[in-house]
């Protein structure tokens, strides 16, 4: 079924926020096609009446009081940042 | 004989009798690292100054618990406050000052272990050979032409090489058990939810577990005991009663019902590995256990389901690496989207990008049902296989890997061949059950072979009991690699 195209790869790379070169896109097209092709092995399985498993344990929502707690202060939160100014993370402008 | 050839119990006696000090243990660790780590290449970051200061303090304070003063190595995807944590990725090359300790690290600090340094791995835990580290490839201490396994390859190698007494690894599809098998050590992947994942840099959140890597089963049980338990910082951590794991070792295996899946001894499994497992089953027979062949019929679908699910989860988890709050930012970018795109291009290695792409594809509009949801349904079938076998048996036994360690470079060009390395460990993660690997023999090339024992949910005690009985009846775990010119 699958025939991954280079256009698809470029689209997925954009969704994943990954800059890739044309050359990389071509290599990735082949690799993804092979992996997806292999994954189609799953089509042998009749799963019409099978529930999907997201987690193996019976998980319940964990609730707690909505109270502010001390965690890390602003100075600490910023200390591993690549760029910062006036106590905030600094990034290039989002709007042109 | 090195200090690390003693068991925890023996070391505690020596500490208690003042035959040795914590400083001696820490000295032994760094001395061994200086001696052999040029060959093994296990450590990304050493914390020598702090470790020596901690040792001195512990010697003054004293203390008695099984882990007191013991040198440990930590896989580099487990966050350590103030100690560089890179996940073996260029993206986190400058992440030198993490803000908090992972829960497992806090728990070990409470037990007064001494952190020696951070251990190499496949980048973001994606890989089976350590060759995906952005820094260097850790080598197998038994033969440095061979890989140590992955992704916790250095966690296994450092223990096998006697650089640290024990280590922590993480296991998403076999990343503790496969390197444990390749390096001839004991590695346990606990039941999903038994150990808090808080502070473990997430790869695939529904599969990841932190676990102990040691030379002996008893030491493994001690280390697990120290890191388990419910944690309000991890909403998937289970609130269950914790047994005494070392107590369980005292029981023999008479009457233990062992299931051996025919799929785990079939095609792709090397003759030497198969023979070792058969010999192990003979040992169990002699110890009074019984075994029968069973089927886990959906085993052959596990690798495909796993790569779709784990990559999908990874693509979401790794979205946090955006070059804004921490990590490396591309200097080339002039607008916000390009900050993301270029930083991720520069920071991530090839395998990580491949998985992000696969996962993004599997989750993308129009493909979600065909791939992601299909894989989740396959996961249900795989889990049901295990549930069914565990209705009649106490443990499942088989090889950890189809073959012993392979050579560096042998599989690196072909992702699918590399993925198949984990064919016998992946189903365990998909089912969420616990599994251990322990040494059960050596190949003709002198490389270790691993025996995998899989248990019921939260039944680590029975796994340890079975593993300990086998270990005590054999001497594989007493073998040591020749490194640095002399044996051990």
């Amino acid at each position: 079924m699958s025939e991954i195209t280079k256009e698809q790869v470029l689209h997925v790379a954009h969704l994943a926020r990954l800059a890739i070169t044309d050359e990389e896109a071509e290599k990735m097209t082949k690799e993804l096609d092979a992996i997806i092709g292999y994954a189609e092995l799953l089509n042998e399985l009749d799963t019409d009446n099978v529930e999907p498993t997201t987690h193996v344990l019976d998980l319940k929502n964990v609730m707690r009081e909505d109270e502010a707690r001390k965690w890390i202060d602003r100075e600490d939160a910023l200390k591993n940042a690549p760029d910062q100014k006036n106590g905030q993370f600094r990034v290039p402008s989002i709007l042109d | 004989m090195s200090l690390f050839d003693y068991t925890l119990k023996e070391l505690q006696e020596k500490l208690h009798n003042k035959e040795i000090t914590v400083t001696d243990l820490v000295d032994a660790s760094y001395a061994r690292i200086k001696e052999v780590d040029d060959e093994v290449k296990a450590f990304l970051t050493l914390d020598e100054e702090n470790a020596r200061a901690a040792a001195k303090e512990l010697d003054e304070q004293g203390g008695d618990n099984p882990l007191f003063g013991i040198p440990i190595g930590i896989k580099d995807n487990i966050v350590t406050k103030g100690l560089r944590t890179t996940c073996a990725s260029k993206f986190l090359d400058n992440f030198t000052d993490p803000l908090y300790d992972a829960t497992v690290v806090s728990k070990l600090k409470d037990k007064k272990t001494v952190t020696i340094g951070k251990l190499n791995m496949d980048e973001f835990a994606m890989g089976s050979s350590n060759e995906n580290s952005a820094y260097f490839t850790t080598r197998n201490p038994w033969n440095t032409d061979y890989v140590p396994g992955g992704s916790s390859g250095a966690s296994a190698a450092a223990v096998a090489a006697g650089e640290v007494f024990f280590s922590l690894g993480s296991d998403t599809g076999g990343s503790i058990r496969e390197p444990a098998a390749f390096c001839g050590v004991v590695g346990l992947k606990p039941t999903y939810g038994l150990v808090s994942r808080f502070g473990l840099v997430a790869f695939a959140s529904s599969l990841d577990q932190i676990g102990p890597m040691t030379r002996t089963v008893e030491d493994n049980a001690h280390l697990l005991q120290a890191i388990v338990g419910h944690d309000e910082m991890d909403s998937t951590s289970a609130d269950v009663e914790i047994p005494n794991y070392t107590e369980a070792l005292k029981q023999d295996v008479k009457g233990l019902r062992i299931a051996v899946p025919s799929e785990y001894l079939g095609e792709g499994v090397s003759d030497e590995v198969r023979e070792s497992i058969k010999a192990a089953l003979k040992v169990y027979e002699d110890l009074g256990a019984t075994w029968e062949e069973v089927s886990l019929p959906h085993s052959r679908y596990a690798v495909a389901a796993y790569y779709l699910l784990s990559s999908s989860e990874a693509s979401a988890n790794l979205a946090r690496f955006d070059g804004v709050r921490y990590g490396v930012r591309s200097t080339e970018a002039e607008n916000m989207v390009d900050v993301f795109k270029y930083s991720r291009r520069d920071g991530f290695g090839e395998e990580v990008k491949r998985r992000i792409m696969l996962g993004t594809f599997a989750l993308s509009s129009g493909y979600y049902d065909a791939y992601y949801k299909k894989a989740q349904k396959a996961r249900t079938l795989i889990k049901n296989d295990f549930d069914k076998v565990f209705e009649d048996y106490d443990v499942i036994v088989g090889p950890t890997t189809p073959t012993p360690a392979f050579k560096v470079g042998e599989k690196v060009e072909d992702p699918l061949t590399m993925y198949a390395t984990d064919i016998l460990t992946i189903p365990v993660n998909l089912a969420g059950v616990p599994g251990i690997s322990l040494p059960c023999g050596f190949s003709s090339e002198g490389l270790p072979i691993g025996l995998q024992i899989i248990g019921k949910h939260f039944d680590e005690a029975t796994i340890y009991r079975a593993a300990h009985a086998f270990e005590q009846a054999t001497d594989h775990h007493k073998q040591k690699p020749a490194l640095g010119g002399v044996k051990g």
Side-chain angles (χ1 to χ4, degrees):
Chain A
M1 168 180 142
S2 105
E3 266 297 315
I4 308 272
T5 64
K6 197 172 121 189
E7 286 62 42
Q8 271 177 304
V9 165
L10 290 168
H11 173 64
V12 169
H14 172 70
L15 292 177
R17 299 292 184 262
L18 269 178
I20 58 172
T21 63
D22 219 47
E23 210 174 89
E24 283 171 319
E26 270 172 31
K27 186 165 183 259
M28 247 177 224
T29 305
K30 282 192 202 114
E31 286 171 350
L32 279 185
D33 197 59
I35 297 169
I36 293 288
Y38 171 68
E40 280 173 10
L41 181 67
L42 299 181
N43 291 334
E44 288 178 18
L45 295 169
D46 177 3
T47 52
D48 285 350
N49 298 310
V50 178
E51 287 294 312
T53 295
T54 47
H55 260 89
V56 286
L57 300 178
D58 192 17
L59 288 177
K60 292 180 197 74
N61 265 337
V62 181
M63 310 299 269
R64 63 168 172 80
E65 291 306 311
D66 185 17
E67 289 166 350
R69 280 198 243 181
K70 179 139 179 58
W71 179 227
I72 46 177
D73 57 35
R74 180 181 291 236
E75 203 183 318
D76 279 345
L78 287 166
K79 70 182 175 185
N80 288 293
D83 197 6
Q84 53 162 300
K85 194 182 177 186
N86 299 336
Q88 295 172 61
F89 297 112
R90 187 164 123 143
V91 294
S93 67
I94 291 167
L95 300 170
D96 288 332
Chain B
M1 186 164 171
S2 136
L3 278 177
F4 295 166
D5 294 337
Y6 295 100
T7 64
L8 267 183
K9 211 196 276 170
E10 290 164 341
L11 283 182
Q12 291 306 334
E13 271 168 28
K14 287 182 181 297
L15 283 167
H16 186 77
N17 300 336
K18 310 226 182 294
E19 279 173 60
I20 58 165
T21 62
V22 177
T23 299
D24 292 336
L25 289 171
V26 170
D27 285 347
S29 185
Y30 286 112
R32 183 68 176 161
I33 289 168
K34 281 185 185 75
E35 188 186 356
V36 299
D37 210 52
D38 279 348
E39 282 178 82
V40 180
K41 299 184 170 78
F43 282 91
L44 284 170
T45 306
L46 293 172
D47 197 23
E48 191 160 350
E49 211 174 297
N50 287 325
R52 289 189 191 279
K56 203 169 157 228
E57 207 172 298
L58 291 176
D59 280 329
E60 282 159 17
Q61 284 169 6
D64 61 350
N65 81 74
L67 305 190
F68 174 79
I70 306 297
I72 185 165
I74 312 265
K75 188 178 180 181
D76 209 28
N77 58 349
I78 298 173
V79 178
T80 42
K81 186 175 182 180
L83 179 59
R84 184 170 177 249
T85 300
T86 67
C87 297
S89 178
K90 289 288 178 200
F91 207 114
L92 292 173
D93 191 60
N94 62 357
F95 192 46
T96 51
D97 206 356
L99 303 180
Y100 57 87
D101 278 323
T103 297
V104 289
V105 173
S106 315
K107 281 178 179 277
L108 288 176
K109 280 187 179 167
D110 290 346
K111 296 288 182 193
K112 314 293 182 196
T113 63
V114 182
T115 300
I116 296 300
K118 301 300 288 288
L119 292 159
N120 196 22
M121 53 188 280
D122 288 292
E123 184 179 2
F124 287 109
M126 297 173 188
S128 311
S129 68
N130 247 265
E131 291 164 293
N132 295 337
S133 166
Y135 296 94
F136 43 77
T137 300
T138 298
R139 301 297 175 129
N140 192 313
W142 294 89
N143 184 333
T144 51
D145 291 338
Y146 287 78
V147 301
S151 64
S152 314
S155 296
V159 172
E163 294 178 306
V164 282
F165 189 79
F166 47 37
S167 66
L168 290 182
S170 70
D171 190 317
T172 305
S175 282
I176 287 174
R177 289 158 291 153
E178 186 240 22
F182 282 6
C183 293
V185 301
V186 182
L188 176 92
K189 184 209 82 85
T191 306
Y192 182 82
L194 184 67
V195 177
S196 167
R197 294 183 295 110
F198 179 69
L200 172 67
V201 178
F203 160 15
S205 309
S206 81
L207 302 161
D208 297 341
Q209 267 290 287
I210 295 169
M213 305 183 78
T214 58
R215 277 196 185 171
T216 69
V217 175
E218 184 176 354
D219 294 348
N220 204 278
H222 278 298
L223 185 50
L224 182 71
Q225 198 88 52
I227 61 172
V228 294
H230 179 64
D231 179 12
E232 65 164 13
M233 300 303 281
D234 173 5
S235 61
T236 62
S237 110
D239 200 357
V240 292
E241 204 175 312
I242 305 294
N244 184 324
Y245 298 115
T246 45
E247 272 304 305
L249 305 181
K250 294 177 182 158
Q251 222 186 325
D252 63 28
V253 292
K254 279 198 189 76
L256 186 80
R257 298 166 305 166
I258 298 172
V260 180
S262 50
E263 292 82 2
Y264 284 36
L265 291 173
E267 205 188 327
V269 176
S270 79
D271 291 341
E272 282 182 322
V273 168
R274 194 179 298 115
E275 289 314 312
S276 291
I277 302 306
K278 286 190 174 157
L281 291 170
K282 181 77 179 60
V283 170
Y284 277 115
E285 279 175 23
D286 293 345
L287 292 169
T290 58
W291 68 272
E292 283 178 317
E293 210 163 293
V294 299
S295 178
L296 294 169
H298 296 95
S299 298
R300 64 188 294 254
Y301 303 102
V303 173
Y306 171 81
Y307 276 92
L308 289 171
L309 295 173
S310 64
S311 302
S312 298
E313 293 186 28
S315 74
N317 276 326
L318 270 60
R320 63 170 58 88
F321 297 100
D322 54 11
V324 174
R325 293 154 298 159
Y326 44 75
V328 173
R329 181 188 295 183
S330 165
T331 49
E332 230 179 280
E334 287 174 5
N335 65 55
M336 194 65 238
V337 173
D338 284 350
V339 166
F340 304 148
K341 285 189 172 178
Y342 294 164
S343 300
R344 290 160 69 78
R345 174 197 64 193
D346 298 347
F348 291 145
E350 203 178 336
E351 181 63 25
V352 173
K353 288 179 186 171
R354 189 151 46 225
R355 304 227 194 166
I356 290 174
M357 290 288 291
L358 175 63
T360 307
F361 173 78
L363 292 174
S364 67
S365 171
Y367 296 96
Y368 180 91
D369 282 353
Y371 296 107
Y372 182 69
K373 204 163 177 193
K374 186 79 181 178
Q376 284 188 320
K377 289 180 170 189
R379 183 176 184 178
T380 305
L381 296 173
I382 289 159
K383 180 176 178 287
N384 292 348
D385 284 353
F386 280 92
D387 289 347
K388 192 155 176 281
V389 168
F390 281 131
E391 282 171 16
D392 300 315
Y393 299 91
D394 302 309
V395 289
I396 296 172
V397 165
T400 309
T401 55
T403 66
F406 45 91
K407 279 196 169 145
V408 173
E410 196 179 319
K411 298 189 179 183
V412 78
E413 287 304 318
D414 182 3
L416 280 173
T417 309
M418 187 70 90
Y419 297 171
T421 308
D422 298 328
I423 196 160
L424 305 175
T425 48
I426 279 172
V428 175
N429 299 76
L430 290 173
V433 291
I436 203 169
S437 179
L438 72 157
C440 72
F442 290 86
S443 71
S444 52
E445 287 160 312
L447 294 165
I449 295 171
L451 178 74
Q452 184 174 211
I453 305 173
I454 303 162
K456 298 172 187 173
H457 285 122
F458 300 111
D459 195 14
E460 280 77 3
T462 302
I463 291 182
Y464 279 138
R465 180 184 145 209
H468 186 69
F470 176 81
E471 179 190 74
Q472 295 306 305
T474 56
D475 63 0
H476 308 296
H477 64 291
K478 291 182 180 154
Q479 311 296 316
K480 285 191 296 169
L483 263 178
V486 285
K487 270 219 156 192

